Amino acid sequence: MAEVLIVPTGTANVASVKAAFGRLGADTRLSLDPSEIEGASHVMLPGVGAFAAARGQLVQGGADAALERRIAADRPTVCICVGHQLLFETSDESPGVRGLGVVPGHVGRFPDGVRVPQFGWNEVRAPEGSMLLEDGYAYFANSYRATAAPGFEVATAEHGGSFVAAMARGNLLACQFHPELSGFYGEAILSRFLELA
Amino acid sequence: MLTSRIIPCLDVSHGRVVKGVRFQGLRDAGDPAERSALYQDEGADEIVILDVSATPEGRGHQHETVAACRERLMIPLTVGGGVREAADAEALLEAGADKVSVNTAAVADPALLTAIATRFGSQCCVLAIDAARRDGRYEVLIKGGREGTGRDAVLWAKEAQERGAGEILLTSWDKDGTRSGYDLELTRAVADAVHLPVIASGGADTAAHILEAFAAGADAVLAASIFHDGDTTPNDVKLYLQEHGLRVRP
């Protein structure tokens, strides 16, 4: 069974991610070491805290460049919530801070008139025939979101308009929602991720 | 579109689930990990654990409970009780909580909300408000409802939003444990005043009460007794809500 290297960008939620992989029989390990990040069979970039803070964690020691290299080499990588947002170029949350820029585009704040943060279960609609994405209900906890991801398969949800709920390209999977907290729906996605090679 | 969330609440004391009327007269209602896993199977959208006995000495117990629940839960887990500083929140998150709820300590030091939100994100920071009706307004109570503060609950919710709280867990002191329905005016007043999600709590007896709370603007409802006593399940409640036009997670 695969071992998943978790790139810790903060404290929150790592326990939930570890528990979720544990239920699937996968071992987990935390590391910010660039060579380990680049070489691991499976890497998860979990989502915690703010865009700039998470970005700051990655810059230290070169974890960001290692992530970019493994993504460029199409090694199995899953990015969650803020991790997903870091793949874009910029975010309303932290003006002036550059994301990894793997996806062209911007992460904006939800519009006025809806609850912010978006907290709770939202319906996700996936493109037909996707290997990694499927229709279902997923748990979200976010104030910012992207509305497009050029070059990716995109699953969408609605909260003050359509937004990117998850996206996939080759062996790169990114979820705005939390698969580790999304019941059997999320578990199935993580299970498919573990099968990537 | 977001669905209406049903959140069973486990009041935990010394590692056991308890439930009392108006925070008093606690009865034993089982093992927290067993209970929360059961509710997860029965359609709960999240679980909230409030440690009503939390003290600095009892902290280890609390972390064991959280870790045991986390191992089995594939849904979000919020934990509250005895959180006095950001380090307490960190320990709960490390033990397996996804969100931490603060109450008394945030009233004493509102900067605690900012400290938690800055370090762990607003999505981790739930403000619990215990409110009691006073001459057409609502007063914030602390220390498990034992002490008034003179603070207005609606204004406090707004301030908490500015300070970084990500969600409001709003309990009616007048209604809690009475099974006479949620305090709809309180729910509406707070839901209208903030853009944060509001969890209505205190007073649920029937699925109709829960429907009323959503109609009053709640984004989620908390309930304890109706699930602990086996009167209904989250899935039964959700079917009822769906029949009345609400969106729920199947």
Side-chain angles (χ1 to χ4, degrees), chain B residues 144-199:
Chain B
R146 291 191 301 274
E147 207 171 281
T149 63
R151 205 182 256 270
D152 181 273
V154 175
L155 296 178
W156 176 221
K158 289 175 82 159
E159 181 182 342
Q161 171 171 284
E162 297 311 311
R163 289 182 178 272
E167 195 168 35
I168 305 285
L169 168 51
L170 181 64
T171 301
S172 164
W173 166 254
D174 305 298
K175 292 286 197 169
D176 190 66
T178 65
R179 304 186 69 147
S180 61
Y182 293 91
D183 189 326
L184 303 178
E185 282 179 40
L186 171 66
T187 302
R188 190 180 306 279
V190 173
D192 284 351
V194 296
H195 60 67
L196 301 180
V198 174
I199 306 169

Side-chain angles (χ1 to χ4, degrees), chain B residues 55-129:
Chain B
T55 58
E57 306 81 61
R59 212 38 77 63
H61 228 8
Q62 190 182 28
H63 296 165
E64 277 173 36
T65 299
V66 172
C69 293
R70 173 78 284 151
E71 213 169 287
R72 301 177 65 169
L73 289 181
M74 309 155 73
I75 57 176
L77 172 62
T78 300
V79 181
V83 176
R84 290 172 181 79
E85 48 189 281
D88 299 332
E90 182 170 28
L92 288 173
L93 294 169
E94 280 176 355
D98 300 296
K99 311 184 221 180
V100 171
S101 153
V102 293
N103 188 337
T104 301
V107 173
D109 177 19
L112 176 62
L113 295 170
T114 315
I116 292 173
T118 306
R119 280 183 65 184
F120 313 115
S122 287
Q123 82 287 342
C124 288
C125 182
V126 179
L127 175 69
I129 301 177

Side-chain angles (χ1 to χ4, degrees), chain A residues 10-17 19-20 23 47-50 53 81-82 109 113-123 125 137-143 157-159 178-188, chain B residues 1-3 5 41 44-46 70-77 90 93-99 117-124 126 161 165-167 190-192 194-198 217-219 247-250:
Chain A
T11 299
N13 222 34
V14 168
S16 302
V17 169
R23 283 188 293 268
V48 288
C81 198
V82 175
R109 190 174 165 87
V114 293
R115 292 285 182 203
V116 182
Q118 168 184 227
F119 256 134
W121 296 80
N122 205 332
E123 187 174 7
R125 292 181 189 279
Y137 286 82
Y139 183 82
F140 293 83
N142 59 309
S143 299
E158 299 278 333
H159 189 64
H178 288 271
E180 76 280 12
L181 302 177
S182 294
F184 290 115
Y185 174 77
E187 183 167 78
Chain B
M1 289 215 349
L2 285 176
T3 58
R5 284 178 284 158
D41 292 345
D45 293 311
E46 296 183 30
R70 173 78 284 151
E71 213 169 287
R72 301 177 65 169
L73 289 181
M74 309 155 73
I75 57 176
L77 172 62
E90 182 170 28
L93 294 169
E94 280 176 355
D98 300 296
K99 311 184 221 180
T118 306
R119 280 183 65 184
F120 313 115
S122 287
Q123 82 287 342
C124 288
V126 179
Q161 171 171 284
E167 195 168 35
V190 173
D192 284 351
V194 296
H195 60 67
L196 301 180
V198 174
D219 299 279
R247 297 169 61 89
V248 295
R249 176 177 69 110

Side-chain angles (χ1 to χ4, degrees), chain A residues 38 65-75 77 102 169 172:
Chain A
E38 197 175 348
L67 271 169
E68 286 167 21
R69 285 196 297 274
R70 73 171 284 123
I71 288 170
D74 202 27
R75 309 269 290 152
T77 306
V102 172
R169 187 184 73 192
L172 173 60

Side-chain angles (χ1 to χ4, degrees), chain B residues 19 24 27 36 53 58 68 95 104-105 135 139 161 164 200-203 222 234 241:
Chain B
K19 182 61 191 172
Q24 314 283 321
R27 289 181 285 124
S36 49
S53 67
T104 301
D135 304 323
E139 183 187 12
Q161 171 171 284
S201 161
L222 202 76
L241 297 177

